[in-house]
Structures are given as C-alpha cells and as structure tokens.
Amino acid sequence: RDGLEGYATSLALDRERGTLGDFMGRFLIGLDPYDVDAVRERLRQASFAGWRNNWMDIAFFDLAAKQRGVPLHVFIAEHAELEQIMPAPESVAAYASFLELRPPHGRAESIERAMKQGFTSAKLGVHGTEEEDFAQLRAARAAGGSLLELRVHAHQAWSVSLVEENPRW
C-alpha cells in the first residue's frame, strides 16, 4: 500500500515455492503488515496445517523497519526490548557463507575463490565430527590467513538430517 517491500530468504526445495503464496496468503491476507506480532502468531497457527513458515516473519520485520526508517537489526532489538551494551554497526559487510561440509582441500579452494571475489569474511558450517570440523577450520584459516574474518555456524539449534544422524555437541 505504500510501495515498501520486505524480504526474507529460505530454502525452496522444488516446485512448492510456486504455490507457497496461494497457500500462505490465506493465512496472512487482511493483516496489518506492520503488526509483526500478529503476523508471527498467524504463522504459528498456520504451522498446524503442517507447513512451517516462520522464516517469513523476517520479511515483515524488514517491512516494518523500512516503514520506521531504521535498520533491521535496530528494529529487532527494539522489538525484543534488548538492551544494547554497545552501539550496533550501521551495516555488516557481506560475507561468503559455506554451510555445506567439505574436505579440507575443498574448503581451502572455496575460501580462496571467495577472497578473489573480494570477500574479507566467511562463515563456515561445522556439523561433522569434531576432527572433521577442526580440519575444515584449519584449512580455511590457512587459506584465508590474517586477511579473512572467520565465522562458524555450528547448527546446534536446528539439526536436521533426512539421511543419517548428525553429530551434536
């Protein structure tokens, strides 16, 4: 209604993304798009139909932040009534995100490619064995050296494996 758009990202596995709007639209039509609490509740209720779409709420947070004219992280912190210990940065530099597991030489190659593309930071997924995880991290550090900020995502809050058991530590 005011020309603003909110964005979110998620994994679309196949053709379901083509009908997602028809399915979820029924739950969201008529809501005030700036009322993020109402949207989150409606998404929670929609999950009873078997489709979990809580990732969508970030698009509504993004929209509400744009409407208020504040960065998204500021809006989220204010909404959650989080006390900021230090000022939040105005922006965070883009980083290369590697959540898939790779052998150390493959990880080193991907880090080198990312750095050639201008990335100065990378996030790695670790969810193999402790030995595999540390080998991958050592390879990334060796490839990136001191010029690369290294981040790690351990996937402990959302461990999903459809094929085999994932290690959890």
Side-chain angles (χ1 to χ4, degrees):
R1 66 181 180 219
D2 54 16
L4 297 175
E5 294 181 9
Y7 293 92
T9 183
S10 181
L11 180 65
L13 297 173
D14 193 17
R15 291 177 281 201
E16 78 279 359
R17 67 179 174 219
T19 58
L20 192 54
D22 292 339
F23 177 75
M24 288 307 298
R26 294 181 185 122
F27 294 98
L28 299 173
I29 297 244
L31 285 179
D32 178 353
Y34 301 118
D35 186 349
V36 293
D37 291 321
V39 169
R40 293 181 88 192
E41 175 59 19
R42 193 64 61 86
L43 289 170
R44 186 192 69 76
Q45 291 177 21
S47 73
F48 294 126
W51 191 264
R52 301 211 185 271
N53 284 304
N54 292 40
W55 58 268
M56 287 182 183
D57 68 352
I58 199 66
F60 291 91
F61 274 85
D62 185 42
L63 183 65
K66 287 174 179 172
Q67 190 238 5
R68 283 238 346 257
V70 298
L72 178 58
H73 66 277
V74 170
F75 182 82
I76 291 172
E78 289 174 356
H79 184 78
E81 298 177 354
L82 297 175
E83 181 182 333
Q84 289 188 307
I85 297 170
M86 65 173 68
E90 284 302 311
S91 66
V92 176
Y95 57 87
S97 182
F98 303 105
L99 297 181
E100 80 288 356
L101 291 178
R102 289 202 171 173
H105 71 278
R107 178 55 59 223
E109 290 172 358
S110 62
I111 291 293
E112 290 166 358
R113 269 195 315 277
M115 291 182 74
K116 284 178 184 174
Q117 293 174 348
F119 288 100
T120 59
S121 180
K123 178 175 74 171
L124 306 183
V126 294
H127 43 93
T129 67
E130 190 172 327
E131 183 179 305
E132 292 167 334
D133 291 345
F134 281 118
Q136 185 176 177
L137 293 171
R138 281 191 294 274
R141 174 52 62 218
S146 63
L147 300 177
L148 180 75
E149 178 184 17
L150 196 55
R151 303 166 187 213
V152 178
H153 191 298
H155 299 278
Q156 296 302 297
W158 187 49
S159 180
V160 177
S161 176
L162 301 176
V163 180
E164 59 188 21
E165 189 68 25
N166 276 336
R168 294 183 61 100
W169 26 272

